Amino acid sequence: MAHSSFHKFIFGFCTSLLIITTLSHGEIGLPSEEHVSLFIFGDSIFDAGNNNYINTSLRANFRPYGESFFKHPTGRFSDGRLISDFIAEYANLPFIPPYLQPGNHQFTYGANFASAGAGALVETSQGLVIDLHSQLSYFERVRESLTKNLGEEEANTLISRAVYLFSVGGNDYSYIFGTNSSILRTQSHREFVGTVLGNITAAINEIYKKGGRKFGFLSLGPIGCHPALLVFQQPAGKIGTCREKLTEMAQIHNKAISEALHALEIKLEGFRYSYFDFYTSMSERLNNPTKYGISNICGSSSFLFQTKLSCFIC
């Protein structure tokens, strides 16, 4: 079944996170007395509803979003749970709410800063999203709140034991192609990837300086086959055709960030990470949906929407 296959795919990533973080202090699935918090950064793959609270059209606050699990739209770009929700469940944590959601959050379980459409670059969909730099600013506010509420020693312990999840970068590449940006006339693809990667590694280093040590990353998916690109941003006669140059940039990015993470592990004392090959996993499912029990892609959006597949254009 599709959902069983999806759970196995998530379980593999979660298990690797459990290994590097000792979330369960022994057996996977058992609650721990000292939980490990999750701090979540990125785009629509992880956005649990932050965009509902900013002035943007990039929202998932209408059906069919949320219909298969929550039974109503929550702001998640899925009809069910997100990858980060499954990770929280496997770690015996509650779903991590969006940072901007009103309420008195203590943040002892973590916070979700992700914003649909956001990139590593401030310029990506500027004014419509919470870019990575702004997400880091929110994290600093949370850190200050934890210090105030828990005391410096306990807050530092929480920060150092926490897991920092990232899914970011794809929108930076989709944006420059979708807006016919002139940036690739002055930079090669590899140079632009280097700029995006530089912002991501800067964010990692910033969190590391604050005490963060344990990180989880998704590689970019096959973004050149994003349905919005296939249908709405293609020249006449090209509708339904993947944009190979965009997918190539994702592949360059994935190779570069894998190498960068390995270098950081060598350079930064105590730095540990889990890296999931989202590209290969989702390409396999997109190319062979029936193999995984998916006969109606639109009807299986809880499984496939995490690759930014939208029912509305099927």
Side-chain angles (χ1 to χ4, degrees), residues 115 118-124 126 129-136:
S115 171
L121 306 180
V122 174
E123 297 81 8
T124 298
Q126 190 168 16
V129 300
I130 307 163
D131 62 81
L132 184 58
H133 179 75
S134 297
Q135 293 179 32
L136 286 172

Side-chain angles (χ1 to χ4, degrees), residues 47-54 75 97-101 112-115 130:
D47 185 357
N50 278 306
N51 277 18
N52 282 350
Y53 306 104
I54 63 175
Y99 170 75
L100 294 180
Q101 180 176 297
N112 186 323
F113 309 105
S115 171
I130 307 163

Side-chain angles (χ1 to χ4, degrees), residues 132-151:
L132 184 58
H133 179 75
S134 297
Q135 293 179 32
L136 286 172
S137 297
Y138 289 158
F139 169 68
E140 176 58 21
R141 293 183 193 177
V142 167
R143 193 182 71 88
E144 292 172 355
S145 175
L146 288 168
T147 300
K148 178 179 179 181
N149 293 331
L150 303 178

Side-chain angles (χ1 to χ4, degrees), residues 2 42 75 81 85 125 131-132 137 141 157 159 178 180 191 214 221-222 227 230 245 266 276 285-286 300-301:
R81 288 159 288 182
D85 293 324
S125 298
D131 62 81
L132 184 58
S137 297
R141 293 183 193 177
T157 298
I159 293 296
N180 293 318
E191 287 173 333
K214 302 164 185 176
L230 299 183
K245 289 185 178 179
I266 295 172
F276 187 79
R285 286 158 175 78
L286 290 170
S300 303
S301 58

